[in-house]
């Protein structure tokens, strides 16, 4: 006769074995899930790293666009008749070619203006002086090199106006250079305020048309696709890092730099007489250095 205690002991052992089997099965399932998640995480991590590396590589090898025509010096050189000195487009990453005054000109006064289109002080200087400079440039008495820079790009409520405006100026220089003077002047005559959004791309196009530029469709598409933004950034960096060619100035320290025969103008930005006196002084020094009698200008008091 079977002992009931033996049956109970067998049942307990069987139950224990079944419980142990279930625990092993559960643990094996957990281990498999953990391995799967770990493997998946490694794969995802590897893919993420690969994606980052790919972006870095693509960014590194992405070619920069050539610079605009007629801006080989990083600026537009404007001379007699408000005509722009023609230069070829520089290849991507090529070094700019420093402009030199025209030795055949009746005067060797060379004015170079580095300016940001959003900069309030830049606007004050240009509105004060462009009108009196225009006849001098037309007559060939001086040459003016305009260097658009984008230093206040982050000061326009997220629209990057400085960069877009400088790109538009480069587009005009490239496709309709003889409209550059008028377009440049229009951006300062009705200049948007610092900290505001600046002009829209359409408003920039309207200013281009108002400057009587030709090849409007090419300029419009150039503005739309930001064709020369990379170049604008590089040219701005060159001005900020220096040195400034044909001068003793090491680098730009703010959004406006005006050079007359290589010497920085530090006078009033709102006095046309002060700047005129500075130009005449530079002209007199140039005449003196070439053996020509030095004129004795008497600038009008401001």
């Amino acid at each position: 006769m079977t002992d009931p205690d033996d049956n109970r002991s067998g049942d307990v052992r069987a139950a224990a074995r079944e419980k142990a089997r279930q625990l092993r099965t559960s643990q094996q399932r957990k281990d498999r899930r953990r391995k799967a998640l770990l493997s998946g995480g490694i794969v995802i991590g590897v893919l993420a790293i690969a994606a980052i590396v790919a972006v870095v590589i693509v960014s590194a090898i992405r070619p920069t666009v050539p610079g605009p025509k007629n801006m080989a010096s990083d600026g537009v050189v404007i001379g007699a008749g408000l005509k722009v000195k023609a230069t070829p487009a520089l290849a991507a990453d090529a070094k700019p070619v420093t402009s030199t005054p025209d030795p055949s000109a009746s005067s060797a006064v060379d004015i170079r203006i580095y300016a940001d289109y959003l900069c309030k002080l830049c606007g004050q200087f240009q509105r004060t002086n462009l009108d009196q400079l225009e006849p001098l440039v037309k007559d060939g008495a001086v040459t003016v090199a305009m260097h658009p820079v984008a230093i206040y790009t982050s000061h326009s409520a997220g629209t990057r106006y400085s960069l877009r405006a400088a790109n538009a100026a480069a587009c005009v220089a490239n496709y309709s250079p003889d409209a550059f003077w008028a377009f440049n002047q229009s951006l300062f005559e009705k200049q948007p305020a610092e900290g505001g959004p600046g002009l829209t791309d359409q408003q920039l196009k309207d200013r281009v048309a108002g400057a009587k530029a030709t090849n409007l469709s090419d300029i419009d598409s150039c503005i739309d696709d930001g064709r020369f933004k990379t170049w604008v950034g590089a040219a701005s960096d060159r001005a900020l890092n220096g040195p400034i060619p044909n001068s003793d100035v090491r680098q730009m320290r703010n959004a406006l730099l005006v050079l007359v025969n290589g010497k920085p103008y530090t006078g009033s930005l709102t006095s046309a007489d002060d700047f005129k006196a500075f130009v005449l002084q530079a002209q007199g020094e140039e005449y003196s250095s070439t053996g020509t009698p030095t004129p004795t200008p008497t600038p009008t008091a401001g």
Side-chain angles (χ1 to χ4, degrees):
M1 186 172 180
T2 304
D3 187 342
D5 290 338
D6 292 339
N7 289 336
R8 284 196 296 271
S9 297
D11 291 343
V12 170
R13 287 194 295 271
R17 285 196 296 271
E18 178 61 21
K19 184 64 175 178
R21 186 190 66 79
Q22 291 175 356
L23 290 174
R24 285 196 302 272
T25 301
S26 176
Q27 186 61 44
Q28 289 170 353
R29 288 173 179 169
K30 289 180 180 178
D31 290 342
R32 286 196 293 270
R33 284 198 299 270
R34 188 162 49 248
K35 288 179 181 179
L37 290 173
L38 180 60
S39 298
I42 292 174
V43 171
I44 292 172
V46 169
L47 291 175
I49 293 172
I52 293 171
V53 170
V55 169
V56 171
I57 291 175
V58 169
S59 299
I61 64 175
R62 183 172 52 206
T64 55
V65 298
K69 290 187 290 187
N70 310 310
M71 298 189 79
S73 65
D74 284 349
V76 174
V77 180
I78 305 166
L82 297 182
K83 299 295 183 182
V84 167
K85 179 181 179 181
T87 61
L90 291 181
D93 299 325
K95 292 183 178 180
V97 179
T98 303
S99 62
T100 54
D102 182 0
S104 65
S106 59
S107 170
V109 175
D110 169 54
I111 299 173
R112 281 177 289 152
I113 303 171
Y114 294 75
D116 186 305
Y117 286 114
L118 189 61
C119 160
K120 179 180 178 181
L121 297 179
C122 303
Q124 289 176 343
F125 173 82
Q126 300 239 3
R127 288 189 297 273
T128 299
N129 293 291
L130 287 186
D131 284 344
Q132 72 172 347
L133 282 177
E134 183 169 322
L136 298 176
V137 177
K138 282 183 177 180
D139 293 342
V142 300
T143 60
V144 173
M146 299 287 190
H147 292 256
V149 293
I151 296 175
Y152 284 3
T153 296
S154 62
H155 297 187
S156 53
T159 72
R160 301 172 67 80
Y161 174 67
S162 291
L163 182 61
R164 292 187 296 106
N167 172 75
C171 294
V172 172
N174 188 83
Y175 292 106
S176 185
D178 289 336
F180 187 91
W181 180 276
F183 176 67
N184 174 83
Q185 190 167 18
S186 75
L187 293 185
F188 287 114
E189 283 178 343
K190 296 180 180 179
Q191 184 186 31
E194 289 182 16
L199 303 178
T200 65
D201 284 352
Q202 183 56 55
Q203 288 172 321
L204 287 170
K205 295 175 191 176
D206 293 341
R207 298 280 178 103
V208 172
K212 299 181 180 179
T214 57
N215 301 315
L216 290 180
S217 61
D218 290 328
I219 295 174
D220 286 354
S221 63
C222 181
I223 291 174
D224 286 336
D225 61 29
R227 192 164 306 164
F228 296 118
K229 284 183 178 178
T230 300
W231 172 85
V232 169
S236 300
D237 288 343
R238 285 191 283 268
L240 288 170
N241 295 329
I244 304 299
N246 292 337
S247 76
D248 294 329
V249 178
R250 291 187 177 182
Q251 60 192 137
M252 282 192 75
R253 297 190 180 276
N254 50 53
L256 175 67
L257 174 63
V258 181
L259 299 169
V260 178
N261 283 358
K263 295 182 179 180
Y265 174 66
T266 57
S268 171
L269 301 179
T270 57
S271 172
D273 289 335
D274 283 2
F275 185 65
K276 180 180 179 180
F278 190 77
V279 171
L280 289 174
Q281 181 183 12
Q283 185 181 45
E285 289 172 353
E286 189 64 34
Y287 279 137
S288 178
S289 68
T290 57
T292 306
T294 303
T296 55
T298 54
T300 304

